[in-house]
Amino acid sequence: MIVRRRWTAAATTVILFSAVLSHPTSGAAAPADPAAPIALSATETAVVRVQLRDQAQLDRLVATGADLANRPRGRDGRIIADLVLSGAQLDDLTAQGATAVQIVQRAGDGNRHYAASVRAAQAPLASAGRPGGSG
């Protein structure tokens, strides 16, 4: 019975943390401060939400093999696309009239969030095995 409660507690913890980490308002997907410019180092890679100048710019990106992270969408007459870009590519796109809106995810974010989730899920199990721990 105690083992069953521990597994239930561990599973509940993992589910809760995965829900928190995947929520659209998590730190990785939070909208950027409007006053702060969105920038990447020349070699850094990230998924960047970009407002494109026009449909023709999107068509050129697709024709040249741009890495689209999802389907581009129109919003209030604007074309918004999530693109996998290096800092140099972001600079080039910005020079062509696009506007970086948000860093959706940086290259190491997924591994970092996963490791944090595993640590959080293991913490209750570790404390349950200690004298004085619940269970």
Side-chain angles (χ1 to χ4, degrees):
M1 190 62 136
I2 291 173
V3 172
R4 181 187 231 177
R5 281 191 288 182
R6 287 182 185 168
W7 277 107
T8 302
T12 303
T13 302
V14 169
I15 290 168
L16 290 173
F17 275 99
S18 65
V20 168
L21 292 176
S22 66
H23 192 272
T25 59
S26 70
D33 176 5
I38 294 173
L40 300 170
S41 68
T43 58
E44 184 179 14
T45 301
V47 176
V48 183
R49 183 157 296 142
V50 180
Q51 179 180 329
L52 300 173
R53 191 179 62 233
D54 54 24
Q55 182 65 42
Q57 187 174 32
L58 174 61
D59 294 343
R60 281 191 302 278
L61 286 168
V62 170
T64 59
D67 191 355
L68 294 167
N70 64 17
R71 183 177 177 190
R73 59 206 172 279
R75 188 184 318 157
D76 300 328
R78 300 174 297 159
I79 297 173
I80 305 293
D82 292 349
L83 300 163
V84 179
L85 299 170
S86 69
Q89 291 169 321
L90 178 59
D91 291 343
D92 289 344
L93 202 54
T94 303
Q96 296 170 22
T99 304
V101 176
Q102 174 184 2
I103 300 287
V104 176
Q105 184 172 359
R106 294 180 187 271
D109 287 349
N111 291 336
R112 188 171 49 256
H113 291 302
Y114 174 75
S117 178
V118 168
R119 283 191 305 274
Q122 290 173 346
L125 296 175
S127 67
R130 293 186 195 133
S134 64

